[in-house]
Amino acid sequence: MDSSRMIRCASIVLLLLAFALPARSAEQKPLPRKTTGRSWILPYAGPQDVVLSISSLEWGSPDRWSFTSRYVHMFDKESVRDHKPWLHSLTVSAIPGTSGGRLGVGYGNVFSRLALLSEARVVLLRTWGRPLVSGADRTFVGAEVRTSLTGVVNVGAGHYWPVSGDDGDRDGFWGFHVGVGV
């Protein structure tokens, strides 16, 4: 294993450990929300905004191992969320991986009766290292759909079209991802 690959793997592990939140086994009452405080990450966040530092760990093509960080803006007000079967949101995702990374903006929804979470998004994909399916150091735009039942296992698929690359290949490709999390 070359040193640059070891450094990348170690960096990803350190990021995962730095942003991982501890799991709690006992039921606890949620803390009351602050309405006047501001977050240094999202200064104008309200009760409809959530930042998930790590919401999913995934393996897929072309970027191999990756994790998803996500900002979610709920369109539905907090007072009516418990009474609606469908919840709608805007999502912004950053997905760094061992052989590529993606930035995405999409529409997410939750069907609360089945705890079915789904998302459709447009992405900007950049490859490096040894990606599956594509060459390294290329940029793509794409469209992805993903779903997760109860937020435990997620699956997704997308189609990507090249924006840059020096090999002259202008054909797109299909990618997939399977992961744990939302």
Side-chain angles (χ1 to χ4, degrees), residues 2-74:
D2 65 351
S3 64
S4 65
R5 189 171 181 179
M6 284 182 81
I7 290 171
R8 253 189 260 149
C9 289
S11 300
I12 289 173
V13 169
L14 287 175
L15 279 172
L16 289 173
L17 292 174
F19 290 108
L21 299 174
R24 299 184 189 263
S25 61
E27 266 190 57
Q28 296 180 355
K29 286 185 177 181
L31 295 173
R33 290 188 177 223
K34 293 192 291 184
T35 56
T36 58
R38 291 189 175 189
S39 164
W40 64 274
I41 295 174
L42 202 58
Y44 300 104
Q48 293 171 244
D49 300 309
V50 178
V51 175
L52 303 168
S53 56
I54 297 179
S55 65
S56 176
L57 296 172
E58 302 173 346
W59 187 90
S61 128
D63 48 2
R64 298 182 186 256
W65 287 105
S66 63
F67 69 90
T68 302
S69 297
R70 178 175 298 160
Y71 161 74
V72 179
H73 173 76
M74 300 293 292

Side-chain angles (χ1 to χ4, degrees), residues 140 159-162 169-174:
F140 300 86
H159 194 271
Y160 309 95
W161 295 272
D169 183 17
R170 302 305 289 173
D171 292 334
F173 66 91
W174 287 94

Side-chain angles (χ1 to χ4, degrees), residues 89-111:
S89 62
L90 166 75
T91 62
V92 178
S93 307
I95 306 118
T98 56
S99 293
R102 294 173 283 151
L103 294 174
V105 176
Y107 164 77
N109 64 44
V110 177
F111 183 59

Side-chain angles (χ1 to χ4, degrees), residues 133-135 138 140 161-173:
V133 180
S134 173
R138 298 194 58 200
F140 300 86
W161 295 272
V163 174
S164 73
D166 55 3
D167 59 2
D169 183 17
R170 302 305 289 173
D171 292 334
F173 66 91

Side-chain angles (χ1 to χ4, degrees), residues 48 72-90 107-120 146-149:
Q48 293 171 244
V72 179
H73 173 76
M74 300 293 292
F75 293 132
D76 302 303
K77 300 284 185 200
E78 189 174 25
S79 60
V80 298
R81 285 187 208 150
D82 293 337
H83 307 293
K84 294 181 83 174
W86 287 98
L87 302 174
H88 309 280
S89 62
L90 166 75
Y107 164 77
N109 64 44
V110 177
F111 183 59
S112 59
R113 292 184 182 149
L114 291 177
L116 179 68
L117 298 92
S118 57
E119 180 180 17
R146 46 184 284 127
T147 189
S148 175
L149 185 61

